[in-house]
Amino acid sequence: QVQLVESGGGLVQAGGSLRLSCAASGTTFNINTMGWSRQAPGKQRELVARAGEFGSTNYADFVKGRFTISRDNAKNTVYLQMNSLKPEDTAVYYCYANSVGWDYWGQGTQVTVSS
């Protein structure tokens, strides 16, 4: 079992920045991919970014050039630096970790971007 706890969400004006953190605990030694998805009201959950165990990263087109994902494997923590935020980035952001074929999810953290 893997437990994930996110932090760092909040309210920010358009153009501002936020940094999300997600710490994993429990059986962490089998975690390979960690990442972030988001879900806006009335919309489906969508992948934002993911980071492989050895440093590979992937981003959704709508965040390329604005968001950066990083991992600290020693701390079992993944981060999402979000710059140049837009009102359409408003959503609940969920951290996830893949371990032995299972996806584990955090409880989510709200990000609200005002215009």
Side-chain angles (χ1 to χ4, degrees):
Q1 292 284 336
V2 175
Q3 294 80 44
L4 301 169
V5 178
E6 302 111 330
S7 60
L11 173 65
V12 65
Q13 288 188 332
S17 298
L18 284 174
R19 188 190 193 211
L20 305 183
S21 299
C22 172
S25 61
T27 307
T28 60
F29 63 89
N30 283 327
I31 292 176
N32 42 71
T33 302
M34 297 185 76
W36 295 90
S37 291
R38 71 185 187 185
Q39 188 165 19
K43 295 187 177 182
Q44 289 188 330
R45 191 173 297 191
E46 57 187 0
L47 177 69
V48 175
R50 58 189 175 193
E53 184 178 7
F54 302 109
S56 63
T57 58
N58 296 97
Y59 295 92
D61 286 343
F62 53 78
V63 302
K64 284 181 179 178
R66 300 188 298 125
F67 292 10
T68 302
I69 189 170
S70 60
R71 283 178 68 165
D72 185 334
N73 289 333
K75 296 182 179 180
N76 295 310
T77 300
V78 63
Y79 306 95
L80 187 67
Q81 178 66 44
M82 305 186 293
N83 299 329
S84 303
L85 282 161
K86 305 175 182 180
E88 51 264 44
D89 293 319
T90 295
V92 178
Y93 283 70
Y94 296 92
C95 169
Y96 76 90
N98 183 272
S99 175
V100 198
W102 285 97
D103 281 341
Y104 296 89
W105 294 90
Q107 81 285 357
T109 184
Q110 177 70 46
V111 171
T112 302
V113 184
S114 63
S115 57

